[in-house]
Amino acid sequence: MTRAVDLLKNKFGVSQLYKHDIKQDDEIILTVYWHPLTIAERESIQKKTGTEDTNDFALQMMIEKSLDKDGNRLFQDGDKASLRREIEANVLQEIQLAMINSGADKGVEEAKADLKS
C-alpha cells in the first residue's frame, strides 16, 4: 500500500511545474513557470517581507518563484522596487493569482481514488 506522504508528493509535490502566459492583444509577452509554493517557502517569504501585508508577500513570492523555460529566475530581489513602481498592478496580480491558484484545479477525488487502490 502506498504511504500517504508518497502519494501526496507524487500528486502535489514540488516536482510539479506550472506555467502562465502574460498576453497583450493575443500576443504572448512573457511566459512564467514555477514550482508549487511549500510551507517552508511561505514561511521564508513572510520572514523576508517582515510584514503582514499580503501585497508585499505576493510580490516577494512572485519574485522568488518565477522561472523561465530553462528554470532560471526571471526576477532578482533588486527588481522589487521597479516592479512596484513601474509595472501595472493588474499584470503583477495576474501572475501572483496564477501562482496562488496553481494546483487548485487538481481534484481531491482523484487523490482519494488513488489512495483506495
Side-chain angles (χ1 to χ4, degrees):
M1 184 164 130
T2 304
R3 293 182 42 206
V5 69
D6 295 328
L7 174 65
L8 291 173
K9 285 193 300 189
N10 288 336
K11 293 290 182 176
F12 308 104
V14 294
S15 64
Q16 306 291 321
L17 186 64
Y18 298 102
K19 157 185 160 172
H20 182 74
D21 293 326
I22 301 298
K23 296 179 182 179
Q24 184 178 46
D25 300 325
D26 294 328
E27 176 189 353
I28 296 174
I29 305 299
L30 176 67
T31 299
V32 180
Y33 298 86
W34 67 93
H35 296 284
L37 181 69
T38 65
I39 291 174
E41 289 172 325
R42 182 184 303 147
E43 291 169 352
S44 173
I45 292 167
Q46 286 172 332
K47 285 179 185 174
K48 274 188 181 179
T49 61
T51 178
E52 295 294 319
D53 182 3
T54 56
N55 289 323
D56 201 35
F57 172 84
L59 183 59
Q60 188 65 41
M61 175 193 64
M62 184 192 82
I63 290 169
E64 291 191 22
K65 300 293 290 177
S66 296
L67 305 171
D68 66 14
K69 66 178 178 175
D70 297 321
N72 301 310
R73 284 184 66 183
L74 286 176
F75 306 107
Q76 302 306 313
D77 291 333
D79 295 335
K80 188 172 188 176
S82 180
L83 289 165
R84 265 190 185 288
R85 288 190 311 254
E86 300 170 20
I87 309 297
E88 291 180 33
N90 64 337
V91 172
L92 300 177
Q93 288 170 346
E94 180 181 334
I95 298 168
Q96 295 161 3
L97 285 172
M99 288 181 165
I100 289 169
N101 292 327
S102 62
D105 58 345
K106 287 184 179 274
V108 176
E109 295 302 320
E110 179 183 336
K112 285 182 184 176
D114 289 345
L115 189 58
K116 290 179 185 175
S117 54

